[in-house]
């Protein structure tokens, strides 16, 4: 195994845990704010991600996720 592959193996549990936190925050926001104005969704999403411990978040990622949720209709 190369050193690069070994580093990947070491990092995967942390990456997986982060993605689960992020997914929970996005799912919560989608369920409660789909179709609402972008700024409302962005605020709720940032709060949900913070509460889940999904940090640090890239602002552009939060903006894009909020845009997508805002454009959805509540299912």
């Amino acid at each position: 195994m190369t050193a690069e592959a070994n580093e990947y193996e070491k990092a995967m549990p942390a990456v997986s845990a982060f993605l689960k936190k992020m997914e929970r925050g996005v799912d919560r926001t989608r369920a409660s704010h789909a179709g609402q104005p972008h700024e409302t969704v962005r605020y709720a999403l940032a709060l949900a991600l913070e509460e889940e411990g999904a940090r640090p978040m890239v602002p552009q990622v939060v903006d894009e996720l909020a845009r997508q949720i805002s454009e959805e209709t509540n299912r």
Side-chain angles (χ1 to χ4, degrees), residues 17-68:
F18 176 80
L19 290 174
K20 286 178 184 175
K21 292 174 184 179
M22 190 172 159
E23 183 177 24
R24 285 192 305 263
V26 170
D27 287 348
R28 283 176 40 200
T29 306
R30 181 174 282 126
S32 61
H33 288 79
Q36 294 188 23
H38 177 267
E39 285 304 314
T40 301
V41 174
R42 192 186 189 299
Y43 178 80
L45 178 59
L47 183 60
L49 293 170
E50 178 75 23
E51 288 171 353
E52 291 293 341
R55 295 178 9 177
M57 283 300 304
V58 177
Q60 293 86 348
V61 171
V62 177
D63 285 338
E64 178 59 19
L65 289 168
R67 182 194 63 76
Q68 291 175 20

